[in-house]
C-alpha cells in the first residue's frame, strides 16, 4: 500500500508517521524539507500489509511537489490541527486539488490531529466528520503525542484498499506493495 500524507505545516504529519512507524514522539521535530519516505509492515490476520508512506512537507513553498507523491498513491491522509481553524480551511483546498488531479480511486482519509489539546480546540469534531462524510472520506481524530488512534487511522485505510488481483506478482507473502492508477488516469508529466 502506498499512503501519502500531506497538508498544512505544523499540523503533525511527520509526528503521526513517526508514531506509526517507530512508536515514538519527538517534541522538537523539524519541519519536513521536500518529503521523506518510510515503510512499515503490519501483520493483519494471515496477511502482511506493507505501507509505503510519503511524508510530504506542509510549507507552501513545497506545494508544487505534492502531485509527484499523490499521483501513484492508493491513499492520501490529509491532516489538520484541531486547534487551528485555518488548517481545516487548507485541508478543504487539498481535498479539492486531490479530486481534480489525484487518481480517481484514491482512498482519502482526514485526520484531525492534536486531539490531546481539546481545551483549545477550534474545529468542532462534528463539522469535520460531516465534511468527511460529504466527500466519502475516512475520518478520525488523532494524537501523535499520546498515541491515540494512529494505528486505527492506518487500519481503516488498509481495510479500504482491495488486495492485488494478481498476488503471484509479489514474491513474498505480502498481499500488496503499491498500486498505480489505471492507465486511463495516468498523466504525462
Ligand atoms: N500537542 C500535540 N502536539 C503535536 C502533536 N503532533 C505533533 N505535535 C507538535 O506539532 C509540531 C509540528 O509537528 P510536525 O510533525 O513537524 O508537523 P508537520 O505537519 O509534519 O510539519 P511540516 O513538516 O512543516 O509539514 C511539533 O512541535 C510537534 O511536536 C499532537 O498530537 N499533539
Amino acid at each position: 500500500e502506498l499512503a501519502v500524507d500531506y497538508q498544512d505545516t505544523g499540523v503533525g504529519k511527520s509526528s503521526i508517521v513517526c508514531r506509526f512507524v517507530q512508536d515514538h514522539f519527538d517534541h522538537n521535530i523539524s519541519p519536513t524539507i521536500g518529503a521523506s519516505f518510510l515503510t512499515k509492515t503490519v501483520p493483519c490476520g494471515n496477511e502482511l500489509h506493507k505501507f509505503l508512506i510519503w511524508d510530504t512537507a506542509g510549507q507552501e513553498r513545497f506545494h508544487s511537489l505534492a502531485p509527484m507523491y499523490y499521483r501513484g498513491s492508493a491513499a492520501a491522509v490529509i491532516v489538520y490541527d484541531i486547534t487551528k481553524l485555518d488548517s481545516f480551511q487548507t485541508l478543504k483546498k487539498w481535498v479539492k486539488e486531490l479530486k481534480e488531479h489525484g487518481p480517481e480511486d484514491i482512498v482519502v482519509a482526514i485526520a484531525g490531529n492534536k486531539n490531546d489539546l481539546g481545551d483549545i480546540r477550534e474545529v468542532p469534531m462534528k463539522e469535520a466528520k460531516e465534511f468527511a462524510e460529504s466527500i466519502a472520506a475516512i475520518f478520525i481524530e488523532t494524537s501523535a503525542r499520546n498515541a491515540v488512534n494512529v494505528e486505527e487511522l492506518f487500519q481503516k485505510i488498509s481495510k479500504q484498499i482491495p488486495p492485488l488481483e494478481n498476488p503471484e506478482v509479489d514474491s513474498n507473502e505480502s498481499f500488496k506493495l503499491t498500486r498505480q492508477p489505471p492507465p486511463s488516469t495516468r498523466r504525462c508529466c
Side-chain angles (χ1 to χ4, degrees), residues 5 7-16 25-33 55-59 79 81 113-117 142-147:
D5 183 47
Q7 227 267 305
D8 217 348
T9 182
V11 294
K13 297 177 299 297
S14 303
S15 300
I16 288 177
F25 181 77
D26 178 359
H27 285 269
N28 300 313
I29 195 162
S30 315
T32 307
I33 305 295
D55 171 23
T56 62
Q59 289 173 27
V79 184
D81 174 346
N113 191 41
K114 307 196 188 181
N115 95 333
D116 53 288
L117 300 177
T142 54
S143 169
R145 183 173 186 269
N146 292 356

Side-chain angles (χ1 to χ4, degrees), residues 42-157:
V42 184
C44 185
N46 294 331
E47 295 169 337
L48 287 176
H49 290 189
K50 183 164 187 180
F51 292 87
L52 311 179
I53 305 169
W54 284 106
D55 171 23
T56 62
Q59 289 173 27
E60 184 57 35
R61 64 195 166 113
F62 296 115
H63 187 135
S64 61
L65 298 179
M68 289 204 311
Y69 304 107
Y70 63 65
R71 273 185 193 156
S73 294
V77 181
I78 313 183
V79 184
Y80 69 96
D81 174 346
I82 67 150
T83 73
K84 300 232 157 56
L85 193 54
D86 278 2
S87 72
F88 190 61
Q89 304 308 337
T90 311
L91 170 139
K92 290 183 177 171
K93 287 189 205 150
W94 279 110
V95 166
K96 192 162 174 278
E97 169 160 347
L98 258 188
K99 294 274 168 215
E100 284 169 8
H101 304 292
E104 226 172 86
D105 52 354
I106 194 165
V107 172
V108 177
I110 291 179
N113 191 41
K114 307 196 188 181
N115 95 333
D116 53 288
L117 300 177
D119 48 340
I120 52 165
R121 172 193 290 276
E122 286 184 4
V123 184
M125 173 140 69
K126 188 166 175 281
E127 186 182 334
K129 202 168 173 225
E130 283 172 4
F131 174 72
E133 275 166 13
S134 75
I135 57 157
I138 293 166
F139 173 75
I140 196 161
E141 279 199 358
T142 54
S143 169
R145 183 173 186 269
N146 292 356
V148 172
N149 280 346
V150 174
E151 295 244 339
E152 288 78 357
L153 164 66
F154 288 92
Q155 269 168 20
K156 277 174 183 274
I157 292 170

